[in-house]
Amino acid sequence: MMKIYLSNEHGILQEKTEITNGCWVNLVSPTEQEISDLANKLQIPLEFLRDPLDEEERSRIEKEDDNVLIIVNIP
């Protein structure tokens, strides 16, 4: 499931239907199709969307071209 959020001019978070610059894309239990579609649309590496789904993934920062992946494990 994918939801898209963007803050308005008053700083209030609102749900949107389209991905725009500066928005937050929240994926919960994404399907392979959702992952692939989002990676293609945003032109980011597939691993940047797949790696955080691994429960044993460690906190790290990775840069590839103009993309930065930040994974933070929080108890």
Side-chain angles (χ1 to χ4, degrees):
M1 174 176 66
M2 180 173 69
K3 290 192 176 189
I4 304 162
Y5 299 97
L6 184 65
S7 295
N8 66 15
E9 62 275 355
H10 302 291
I12 298 170
L13 202 59
Q14 297 177 324
E15 190 169 344
K16 300 293 183 178
T17 56
E18 294 287 324
I19 295 174
T20 59
N21 193 21
C23 72
W24 179 277
V25 179
N26 189 50
L27 289 174
V28 177
S29 300
T31 64
E32 272 301 313
Q33 187 64 46
E34 286 176 318
I35 291 171
S36 179
D37 290 347
L38 189 60
N40 288 332
K41 183 170 187 163
L42 299 179
Q43 298 178 347
I44 58 175
L46 276 171
E47 303 83 44
F48 279 25
L49 296 173
R50 287 188 181 133
D51 289 355
L53 297 173
D54 183 355
E55 290 182 17
E56 296 182 17
E57 188 68 45
R58 301 184 74 179
S59 296
R60 64 184 167 94
I61 298 173
E62 183 178 325
K63 184 173 184 197
E64 187 172 312
D65 300 322
D66 290 334
N67 302 297
V68 178
L69 171 67
I70 303 172
I71 297 177
V72 180
N73 288 331
I74 301 173

